[in-house]
Amino acid sequence: MAQGTGNIASVLFGGIPATGAIARTAANVKNGGRTPIAGITHSLVLLLVLAFLMPYAALIPMPTISAILVQVAYNMSGWRNFGHLCKTASKGAVATLLITFGLTVAVGLVAAIAVGMTITIVLFLKMLSEETEVRGWQYYCDQNSEVTHLRELPKSVRVYEINGPMFFGMTDRITDISVKSFTKYLIIRMRGVPSLDSTGMNALENLYSYCRSNGVNLIFSHVNEQPMKTMRHAGFVDLVGEEHFCASIDDAIAHARQLLGEEEAGREA
């Protein structure tokens, strides 16, 4: 606010609007300035120089001013941190650092920050997509199965567990979900899904269509608050059926068993 007000006042007297200067901020911080008092003191000193000391300031040799700027630039550079990051950070982080650094020197700080932030966002989304996994439970009868603690399931019930946020970077993983010819109920366990966006919602709708075409009923287990809200807003809960959303995996398995029992009773009748 102070800088904006100063720029407005400056042009009224033929001045040129200026942006913030990292160099002066870095010099303040390096010398112990931590509060707005440092900026106020800086502005008062500049006002004093402009109003009363300009003839004397003009006598300061340029090499002296250059030496001061070189010292400030050295203090700002953080070359030790730069070298440490290049040795220890991931390849993506190092590439982002070098690109941002190069653009700062060759183009300017504003362009460098914009490009650096864009690259960082892309890398972050890639990392999230890699963290998300879709894993199917194994049956006791599966060959080479090392899992012995899973609940015993009816052969016609299949369980897949999704862990991680569901967004556009991982929707292709939903296509890994498959059903057998004897599968009647597919349970999707979502206790590890903290968030769901519209692209992930579309992937679930495609999964529902896939299940319908194969005569399989979808059951969801432990859907968290944000994904559930998104599903309701999209009408997905009404499409699947409120009764097919269970609070836990045990409830979902019990629900599938109940539906199987009702089907068998109907066939016998």
Side-chain angles (χ1 to χ4, degrees):
M1 291 177 64
Q3 183 176 343
T5 304
N7 279 335
I8 293 173
S10 174
V11 297
L12 298 178
F13 299 95
I16 299 175
T19 185
I22 293 179
R24 289 192 288 273
T25 301
N28 260 331
V29 172
K30 190 70 176 180
N31 290 278
R34 295 292 188 275
T35 68
I37 300 299
I40 295 172
T41 304
H42 175 213
S43 64
L44 292 176
V45 170
L46 281 181
L47 178 62
L48 179 65
V49 171
L50 287 172
F52 305 105
L53 302 176
M54 278 302 293
Y56 303 101
L59 299 177
I60 299 175
M62 290 301 293
T64 303
I65 297 177
S66 299
I68 294 173
L69 290 177
V70 169
Q71 180 65 31
V72 172
Y74 175 80
N75 292 334
M76 289 175 57
S77 64
W79 62 271
R80 292 183 179 85
N81 292 334
F82 193 99
H84 179 71
L85 285 173
C86 288
K87 291 179 181 179
T88 59
S90 64
K91 293 181 179 179
V94 172
T96 304
L97 174 65
L98 294 177
I99 291 172
T100 305
F101 176 75
L103 288 174
T104 301
V105 176
V107 181
L109 184 62
V110 176
I113 291 176
V115 173
M117 286 297 297
T118 302
I119 296 174
T120 301
I121 291 171
V122 172
L123 292 177
F124 177 71
L125 294 176
K126 181 177 181 296
M127 180 190 69
L128 282 182
S129 66
E130 291 174 348
E131 289 294 323
T132 304
E133 65 169 354
V134 179
R135 179 170 56 87
W137 278 18
Q138 292 180 307
Y139 295 98
Y140 281 117
C141 60
D142 285 349
Q143 293 182 354
N144 303 322
S145 174
E146 298 178 357
V147 182
T148 59
H149 64 279
L150 296 181
R151 299 158 182 78
E152 186 174 0
L153 300 175
K155 187 178 181 181
S156 57
V157 177
R158 195 164 183 83
V159 177
Y160 273 89
E161 186 165 354
I162 304 176
N163 291 306
M166 294 183 63
F167 66 109
F168 69 88
M170 58 72 57
T171 51
D172 58 323
R173 297 176 185 267
I174 299 296
T175 59
D176 295 338
I177 297 177
S178 61
V179 295
K180 306 292 186 181
S181 58
F182 51 80
T183 304
K184 297 296 182 183
Y185 293 93
L186 175 63
I187 299 175
I188 304 297
R189 195 181 193 191
M190 295 182 62
R191 66 171 183 170
V193 180
S195 60
L196 171 70
D197 71 357
S198 58
T199 313
M201 187 67 258
N202 184 65
L204 289 179
E205 290 172 346
N206 291 337
L207 175 63
Y208 175 78
S209 299
Y210 166 75
C211 290
R212 290 281 292 179
S213 63
N214 286 276
V216 176
N217 291 299
L218 265 180
I219 298 175
F220 288 89
S221 161
H222 199 148
V223 181
N224 291 308
E225 182 178 355
Q226 192 279 332
M228 192 67 176
K229 183 178 179 180
T230 302
M231 289 180 179
R232 289 190 186 280
H233 183 73
F236 187 71
V237 174
D238 294 332
L239 182 67
V240 176
E242 184 84 35
E243 68 278 7
H244 291 327
F245 286 82
C246 302
S248 67
I249 186 63
D250 292 321
D251 291 343
I253 294 173
H255 182 56
R257 289 182 185 276
Q258 179 184 353
L259 294 175
L260 283 172
E262 292 175 357
E263 286 184 7
E264 292 177 0
R267 284 195 295 269
E268 291 176 359

